Amino acid sequence: QVPLVESGGGLVQAGGSLQLACAASGSIDRADFLSWYREAPGLERELVASLTSGGSAYYGDFVKGRFTISRENAKNTVYLQMDSLETGDTAVYYCYVEFDPFESGSWGRGTQVTVYS
């Protein structure tokens, strides 16, 4: 299992922006699946955005046009740029990465994002 460390969460007013980072203790150059999930109190964990090794990006309908997932291979880091934040975006955000299709993926411990109006 490759450790993942999220950072960048915090308190922000609606309409503002945050950038989350997920730093891996290993190369992400050939990772099959890079993703961000979120979990709000009382709700199920949901996929926010993902990026495959082939370069295909996916976004949940609820964040499409507002969030952007990207990678910086030199820093072994996955980012989630969040713009036009809404109170409904309040949740714990988790990074999940599959480095090898024959092994289990790795989860970060999560970072709290709180949006107020």
Side-chain angles (χ1 to χ4, degrees):
Q1 185 177 21
V2 178
L4 303 175
V5 180
E6 301 103 330
S7 62
L11 180 66
V12 65
Q13 188 173 16
S17 298
L18 286 174
Q19 184 183 61
L20 306 184
C22 171
S25 298
S27 176
I28 64 168
D29 290 359
R30 295 173 294 172
D32 293 317
F33 186 76
L34 311 171
S35 65
W36 288 93
Y37 287 75
R38 70 184 185 186
E39 185 175 333
L43 300 178
E44 298 295 324
R45 186 172 298 187
E46 61 184 354
L47 177 64
V48 176
S50 65
L51 190 65
T52 69
S53 60
S56 298
Y58 166 85
Y59 297 95
D61 290 339
F62 46 89
V63 301
K64 189 174 299 182
R66 299 189 296 120
F67 292 8
T68 304
I69 186 171
S70 63
R71 72 170 84 194
E72 188 170 355
N73 291 342
K75 295 184 177 181
N76 295 323
T77 299
V78 184
Y79 299 97
L80 183 68
Q81 177 66 43
M82 304 185 294
D83 299 318
S84 301
L85 284 163
E86 304 169 354
T87 55
D89 297 319
T90 295
V92 177
Y93 284 71
Y94 298 90
C95 180
Y96 175 75
V97 178
E98 292 181 358
F99 294 92
D100 190 322
F102 301 105
E103 299 179 357
S104 298
S106 297
W107 286 96
R109 291 184 177 273
T111 184
Q112 176 71 48
V113 172
T114 302
V115 184
Y116 66 93
S117 62

